[in-house]
Amino acid sequence: MPPILPDEKRELLVILKTATEILEHIKTDPNDIYIKDEIEFAGKVQVTGWIFPCRLYVGDHTMGFVAHLNCRDTRSKPMLNLNGLTCEHRVNPIGIDEPSPRFSWILNSDETNVLQTAYRVLVSTDADFSKTVWDSGRIKSNRSVLIAYDGEPLCPSTRYYWTVEVEDNHGITNGACPEAFFETGLMADGNWPALFISPKNENDPTRSEGWYLSKTYEIRGAVASARIYATALGLYSVTVNGIIDENYLLAPGWTNYNSRLLYQTIDITDSLQIGSNIITAHIGTGWYKGDLAGWMSKRCVYGNRIGFSMVMHVAYEDETEETVMTDETWESFPSPVLYTEIYNGETYDARRETDLSMPPKSGGTGPVVLLDMDRSTVCAQDGPPIAVHEVLEPVELLTDSQGRTILDFGQNLTGWVRFQVEGPAGSEVMLKHGEILTAEGDLYTENLRAAKQEILYILKGDGIEEYHPCFTFQGFRYVLVEKYPGTPKKKDFRAEVVHSKMPPTGDFSCSNPLINQLNHNIHWGMKGNFLDIPTDCPQRDERLGWTGDAQVFIGTACNLRNTASFFTKWLRDMRTEQKPDGGIPHVIPDVLFDAAETDDLLEGAHSATGWADAAVICPWTIYRQYGDERILEENYGMMKRWVECIRRQARDEVIWDTGFHFGDWVALDAKEGSYFGATPNDYTATVFYANSADILSRTAALLGNEDDSEHYGALYRRIRSAFLEKFYTPSGRLAVRTQTAHVLALHFNLVTKEHAQRTVDDLVKIIGEENGHLTTGFLGTPYICTVLARYGRLDEAYKLLLQEDYPSWLYQVKQGATTIWEHWDGLKPDGSLWSPDMNSFNHYAYGSVGYWLYTTMAGLEAAENGPGYKIIDFRPRPGGGITSASMRRETPYGLAEIIWKLVGDEMTVIVEVPCNTSARLFLPGQRDAEILGSGRYERKTIIRTGGISV
């Protein structure tokens, strides 16, 4: 793509006859040359005695090769480059159905205090930008995040290239951009064209087996590009001529299939050949037909028959096109998967394998039937795909009490084991998965409840065989090799770590190795539970999208990985599940719709405080973290209906004292044998009601709905006034004497200024009564350190954080945890275990303290008036004997970083401010913040001995 060159005399046009002559002008140097056709070179070009960094573009031309050199004298003017080009939060996405996709880019400069002053976006259907469909023109604006397309209506199945030219406040215009594109999907707008097919013999709701669906298609010429758009009732993978696509694992993911069924776009250009081509879909039970909420014995929640639907679009080099779809002419035959369930695992008989690059054997296939399916629910994949991201080797081979081998992968994870084996036909490999070992060294599986997590592989006896599960996943650290032909060896086993594709964005460390391990555990807990939806745990017979867990952890999650698309998808799922009265289910997708009838613990199936409030808290957090206003626009109706649902239930519209609530779930101040903490439900419900009304008011103001903003702002003030009257004494004492009650009142700003100090003092006193330990549950734990630090008790926050005995975060670390536990005492100090009824060792909710590590200890946070890190607050708060900390965060504008170090009483702070942002640096011991533009800065200050800021 020729660059958009600045209107200055820094342009050089060189016409040369061959690429070789161009290369003769390049002196090898590791910088700055890009040649079209994806051949990269690096170097500098000698021009009239000056050395110029440049970008070189080569393309076919009637006069020979043409090279555009965007050159400048580096000794006199700074450079401005762009990278990080994304469309809808993703790099070069394919298969999007968004009619007005949004573009973002990151500025890089060797100058300081760089701000964008103007931009121009071009979108074209060709890489040379000769077929422009949108030219924004020069827009005077500092916006570089989520600029919406505003051109001609987009066409389906089309690749669009886009680029951007920006100008900064120093008068510098960028050089050429890296190539960026997006590709539309079918854009069917509720009119999915393909039929759903199912094997005729797949008609038993009780069976959980795999099937193949196959069709041979003729390709009549050279292919320019080809796509398969596919989805399934169940889970599926697609093979073309024996080549399997692994970009979408466990597709189509989990949604409320009755309202939203996602399709995936698969690039099969390189898999097709002229002549006959065999397309094979492998389908399995998955979430659609299989067991869900195992303790409630649910099955076939969405349907009792698996199926598949596909559109294949082929564009030939002769510029003709062809579209084919699933229909009744397809064939079906059983797959080697004899049994597959999300919770229980898989049985695979390799003796039934067939060569998928060849047509099915004559007589071995059966017909398909057409399914009566509401195809209006099919829409494009809008969340990140599930993929394998890491591969771990066993760190040790152990032996259990029966002499059997146990693989220790050294890390509690979510995924599966890929193994290789050699042996006679019919011999078996059986693997059983668990999180911990018993005191005797045996695999502990009681906490899995009804989930079996077993893999059974039957050998075909044909040399070395390799396998990993097709339609299931496990949560585990340890794997018992119960059956295996021969002696298991480390080299034969690998654990593949599986989760949604979310690019890493945050990197924290400090001088305390236990805290670093805690951060490691938080991150791995997230990876283990962000598999298409934010689950509670990945191992037992649950693995549901609990709303309460998600909302307390979302801030931490956004610091660790880019979760914008992940939560966009999940919130769309949530909107389809909202009840007619505005209620929000406990889990999304909702499989507990009849919980009150089928579960003794649950008295209601939806609308619990702190859980249903995810409908408001999650969109607001995504807006704050990514500057994404559209997520507020999309979810505003849901947010408003939820607040109205509470208002109708609340006494005098202000005190919410009705309904079922989890409350401060599994808090340590609960009564013996109870999961419900001691903080009264009417207290927690009213607090979260107030918070949701406040967020709704602010959201309405942002979206320009002043009437709603005023209305819900007034409602918030009424709730706050009623809260103070009901729960505070005239002398300013909080009547509810629990840690969580004090934390929530302070965190959500429901305390008057004159009563705040007493509330903080009482909180510290209550903590002291527990010998400096917390007793909080799911609702209080995320905010306790934040509250203490905010209200002048940073010392108490560090004391809580650094406790190493039970109950504490570091107690788990000292016990060898590699993820976050569900219970503070999942493994008790005496070696005994919490009740197996509910004792996950990978349950991320208490990992929400990560947000405090990143924003308070390290001190990097988006300013209240700078969503998406447009304005950054650097506010390091050292304490607890910690002598250094750092946080790197890939913001929508680029890398922000803080590094601080204590030597005696002197504190050195280094910060990196990305281009097109500004920052405020609050140093301990200094009264005012320093305002910083982009660049890297080092500052020093003196603080009191012991690390407590002045």
Side-chain angles (χ1 to χ4, degrees):
M1 179 197 74
I4 303 172
L5 295 169
D7 186 20
E8 300 178 25
K9 293 183 179 180
R10 294 189 277 118
E11 176 180 355
L12 176 66
L13 179 63
V14 180
I15 301 178
L16 301 168
K17 293 182 179 179
T18 68
T20 302
E21 290 183 41
I22 293 174
L23 298 181
E24 288 176 356
H25 287 262
I26 300 174
K27 295 182 179 180
T28 302
D29 190 285
N31 211 351
D32 261 336
I33 297 292
Y34 174 85
I35 293 189
K36 193 184 172 189
D37 299 327
E38 300 181 355
I39 304 171
E40 294 191 9
F41 295 86
K44 296 182 179 179
V45 176
Q46 184 78 26
V47 181
T48 63
W50 296 92
I51 299 295
F52 294 97
C54 69
R55 290 199 178 274
L56 175 61
Y57 294 82
V58 178
D60 291 328
H61 192 274
T62 55
M63 299 176 63
F65 283 87
V66 178
H68 293 269
L69 302 182
N70 180 15
C71 303
R72 63 176 183 79
D73 181 355
T74 58
R75 298 184 300 180
S76 59
K77 291 186 178 180
M79 293 183 66
L80 180 65
N81 296 317
L82 301 184
N83 65 8
L85 275 67
T86 59
C87 176
E88 287 301 314
H89 301 288
R90 290 175 282 174
V91 177
N92 298 338
I94 68 171
I96 65 172
D97 278 0
E98 172 56 56
S100 183
R102 297 166 298 169
F103 309 114
S104 303
W105 55 87
I106 293 173
L107 283 69
N108 288 284
S109 174
D110 51 5
E111 183 72 359
T112 58
N113 300 310
V114 173
L115 291 171
Q116 177 184 292
T117 57
Y119 70 82
R120 178 191 179 197
V121 177
L122 287 175
V123 180
S124 174
T125 55
D126 70 329
D128 292 327
F129 285 79
S130 61
K131 300 177 181 178
T132 302
V133 296
W134 183 46
D135 182 346
S136 71
R138 186 176 183 274
I139 307 295
K140 291 184 178 181
S141 172
N142 64 5
R143 287 197 62 184
S144 59
V145 173
L146 299 173
I147 308 297
Y149 172 83
D150 191 24
E152 300 174 10
L154 299 174
C155 298
S157 303
T158 302
R159 175 166 291 191
Y160 292 90
Y161 297 86
W162 70 279
T163 190
V164 60
E165 177 185 353
V166 306
E167 184 176 330
D168 71 14
N169 54 326
H170 299 284
I172 304 301
T173 305
N174 65 293
C177 295
E179 184 175 279
F181 64 84
F182 66 93
E183 188 176 298
T184 54
L186 290 179
M187 304 193 78
D189 193 25
N191 296 299
W192 178 255
L195 299 171
F196 280 81
I197 60 175
S198 178
K200 184 176 182 180
N201 294 328
E202 204 287 307
N203 55 10
D204 186 346
T206 67
R207 293 183 65 84
S208 305
E209 56 194 339
W211 282 88
Y212 286 131
L213 300 166
S214 183
K215 175 74 174 180
T216 299
Y217 289 111
E218 292 294 319
I219 297 298
R220 54 179 171 76
V223 173
S225 69
R227 302 288 184 267
I228 281 179
Y229 308 95
T231 188
L233 307 177
L235 298 178
Y236 81 94
S237 62
V238 169
T239 301
V240 178
N241 296 324
I243 303 171
I244 189 169
D245 175 80
E246 292 190 340
N247 291 311
Y248 294 96
L249 299 176
L250 302 174
W254 191 8
T255 57
N256 173 6
Y257 300 113
N258 296 323
S259 301
R260 268 169 42 87
L261 177 59
L262 304 183
Y263 75 84
Q264 290 68 48
T265 301
I266 304 168
D267 184 349
I268 60 166
T269 307
D270 295 335
S271 301
L272 292 178
Q273 59 194 18
I274 298 175
S276 294
N277 291 261
I278 300 159
I279 314 297
T280 306
H282 192 193
I283 58 175
T285 306
W287 295 282
Y288 182 83
K289 176 185 172 182
D291 297 331
L292 290 174
W295 77 98
M296 299 172 69
S297 301
K298 292 204 167 189
R299 184 172 178 79
C300 298
V301 171
Y302 303 100
N304 57 17
R305 187 167 196 154
I306 58 177
F308 177 70
S309 183
M310 180 204 82
V311 176
M312 183 171 72
H313 182 264
V314 180
Y316 290 99
E317 290 185 357
D318 64 6
E319 298 187 349
T320 60
E321 297 182 353
E322 191 172 64
T323 299
V324 295
M325 294 178 277
T326 44
D327 57 24
E328 64 275 12
T329 65
W330 282 55
E331 298 177 294
S332 65
F333 53 103
S335 93
V337 176
L338 306 183
Y339 173 86
T340 179
E341 283 286 348
I342 296 291
Y343 299 149
N344 293 333
E346 199 161 282
T347 298
Y348 186 97
D349 189 345
R351 296 171 299 183
R352 296 175 57 169
E353 287 183 344
T354 185
D355 185 353
L356 298 181
S357 67
M358 302 294 291
K361 293 179 181 179
S362 177
T365 63
V368 299
V369 295
L370 302 181
L371 299 181
D372 183 15
M373 170 68 186
D374 179 7
R375 289 180 279 160
S376 68
T377 65
V378 181
C379 52
Q381 172 97 19
D382 48 14
I386 299 169
V388 173
H389 295 275
E390 297 169 72
V391 179
L392 304 183
E393 300 180 2
V395 297
E396 191 174 4
L397 297 186
L398 307 172
T399 303
D400 72 0
S401 61
Q402 299 182 43
R404 299 172 298 184
T405 298
I406 292 180
L407 310 171
D408 177 7
F409 287 98
Q411 173 63 55
N412 200 0
L413 62 97
T414 300
W416 48 64
V417 174
R418 179 189 289 267
F419 61 84
Q420 60 182 20
V421 61
E422 187 172 12
S427 54
E428 297 178 344
V429 176
M430 175 172 277
L431 306 180
K432 295 185 176 181
H433 304 71
E435 296 183 284
I436 64 170
L437 301 179
T438 67
E440 296 74 29
D442 294 325
L443 187 72
Y444 180 74
T445 58
E446 288 185 62
N447 68 329
L448 303 180
R449 302 192 306 213
K452 294 182 179 179
Q453 290 210 127
E454 295 179 354
I455 297 298
L456 177 61
Y457 178 83
I458 304 169
L459 279 71
K460 60 186 174 184
D462 185 16
I464 296 176
E465 305 173 37
E466 187 171 272
Y467 163 82
H468 71 77
C470 302
F471 302 121
T472 185
F473 62 90
Q474 289 77 51
F476 64 97
R477 170 178 172 170
Y478 299 96
V479 178
L480 169 64
V481 184
E482 189 166 87
K483 296 181 181 180
Y484 190 85
T487 303
K489 298 180 177 61
K490 279 186 182 182
K491 66 179 181 63
D492 295 327
F493 300 90
R494 296 290 183 271
E496 296 188 330
V497 180
V498 177
H499 57 78
S500 291
K501 186 177 181 180
M502 304 167 292
T505 53
D507 184 17
F508 165 87
S509 67
C510 72
S511 60
N512 186 318
L514 294 179
I515 297 297
N516 291 338
Q517 182 63 43
L518 171 63
N519 181 61
H520 168 99
N521 295 0
I522 292 168
H523 196 178
W524 276 87
M526 175 187 176
K527 290 191 290 188
N529 283 289
F530 276 48
L531 194 149
D532 202 56
I533 64 169
T535 58
D536 56 327
C537 58
Q539 73 297 100
R540 68 184 179 219
D541 59 345
E542 193 165 353
R543 313 184 195 189
L544 306 179
W546 287 94
T547 49
D549 302 51
Q551 72 87 1
V552 300
F553 190 75
I554 186 171
T556 300
C558 292
N559 271 274
L560 292 171
R561 289 181 174 263
N562 188 331
T563 61
S565 296
F566 180 88
F567 277 106
T568 295
K569 179 263 182 191
W570 188 64
L571 286 167
R572 288 173 178 171
D573 295 340
M574 184 182 291
R575 292 204 302 275
T576 71
E577 301 276 19
Q578 189 170 28
K579 304 298 180 182
D581 66 354
I584 300 292
H586 302 325
V587 299
I588 304 294
D590 182 20
V591 296
L592 305 181
F593 46 82
D594 56 354
E597 301 172 11
T598 55
D599 191 302
D600 293 338
L601 180 65
L602 303 179
E603 298 175 15
H606 61 86
S607 303
T609 190
W611 271 247
D613 294 282
V616 173
I617 294 171
C618 290
W620 181 254
T621 302
I622 295 299
Y623 161 71
R624 295 281 307 124
Q625 291 293 317
Y626 300 102
D628 188 347
E629 290 187 14
R630 185 177 287 178
I631 203 163
L632 296 179
E633 295 170 357
E634 280 193 8
N635 291 288
Y636 183 73
M638 176 176 68
M639 298 163 74
K640 184 175 178 178
R641 287 191 296 273
W642 166 238
V643 172
E644 285 297 306
C645 176
I646 309 173
R647 185 185 61 80
R648 290 190 298 270
Q649 297 179 58
R651 178 159 47 88
D652 299 325
E653 298 188 342
V654 289
I655 297 295
W656 190 12
D657 56 3
T658 60
F660 168 82
H661 301 287
F662 296 99
D664 197 26
W665 186 246
V666 296
L668 290 173
D669 56 13
K671 294 180 180 179
E672 185 68 29
S674 173
Y675 299 110
F676 300 95
T679 308
N681 282 340
D682 60 345
Y683 184 94
T684 56
T686 302
V687 167
F688 276 90
Y689 174 30
N691 180 59
S692 286
D694 183 34
I695 291 176
L696 182 59
S697 173
R698 287 186 278 169
T699 299
L702 276 167
L703 300 181
N705 192 333
E706 295 301 330
D707 289 343
D708 272 4
S709 179
E710 182 177 342
H711 173 74
Y712 290 107
L715 176 62
Y716 163 72
R717 291 187 291 273
R718 286 175 54 209
I719 299 168
R720 184 172 185 265
S721 178
F723 170 85
L724 290 169
E725 182 178 351
K726 178 174 176 61
F727 296 109
Y728 269 84
T729 67
S731 63
R733 180 177 180 271
L734 180 57
V736 181
R737 193 172 170 75
T738 67
Q739 292 181 15
T740 289
H742 289 71
V743 166
L744 294 181
L746 291 163
H747 181 73
F748 291 117
N749 300 309
L750 296 179
V751 187
T752 61
K753 289 183 178 179
E754 58 267 28
H755 295 163
Q757 189 59 54
R758 177 166 184 176
T759 304
V760 174
D761 292 343
D762 286 349
L763 172 60
V764 172
K765 183 177 180 181
I766 296 170
I767 293 172
E769 292 170 358
E770 299 293 336
N771 297 315
H773 292 77
L774 44 69
T775 59
T776 49
F778 273 32
L779 297 186
T781 299
Y783 315 118
I784 189 166
C785 287
T786 299
V787 160
L788 289 168
R790 182 193 302 167
Y791 287 93
R793 298 311 302 265
L794 184 66
D795 55 338
E796 291 296 331
Y798 271 105
K799 285 179 184 177
L800 274 180
L801 177 71
L802 296 173
Q803 291 283 3
E804 296 182 12
D805 58 341
Y806 163 79
S808 67
W809 288 283
L810 297 189
Y811 166 76
Q812 299 178 11
V813 172
K814 297 278 281 189
Q815 290 290 317
T818 59
T819 45
I820 300 298
W821 296 352
E822 181 175 17
H823 293 276
W824 295 112
D825 56 346
L827 178 62
K828 297 177 183 293
D830 64 2
S832 61
L833 295 165
W834 216 85
S835 168
D837 291 343
M838 202 173 294
N839 194 20
S840 162
F841 291 93
N842 191 355
H843 213 96
Y844 59 75
Y846 287 144
S848 53
V849 71
Y851 190 81
W852 189 85
L853 299 178
Y854 317 141
T855 62
T856 302
M857 180 191 290
L860 194 164
E861 188 173 16
E864 185 67 28
N865 60 337
Y869 294 82
K870 183 66 172 173
I871 303 173
I872 301 167
D873 279 350
F874 293 109
R875 194 191 304 262
R877 306 290 300 277
I882 292 173
T883 57
S884 66
S886 66
M887 180 66 185
R888 293 168 57 91
R889 171 69 194 267
E890 289 290 344
T891 77
Y893 298 92
L895 177 66
E897 182 177 25
I898 182 169
I899 304 169
W900 63 258
K901 185 175 183 179
L902 279 171
V903 178
D905 287 347
E906 184 179 70
M907 182 181 188
T908 302
V909 180
I910 299 171
V911 297
E912 179 86 19
V913 184
C915 292
N916 206 29
T917 71
S918 61
R920 300 183 299 182
L921 175 59
F922 300 84
L923 289 177
Q926 297 186 7
R927 183 181 300 273
D928 299 319
E930 180 182 1
I931 307 301
L932 303 173
S934 66
R936 195 168 182 87
Y937 304 87
E938 180 176 327
R939 299 290 186 266
K940 295 182 184 295
T941 189
I942 302 298
I943 65 174
R944 284 207 303 259
T945 302
I948 306 303
S949 58
V950 177

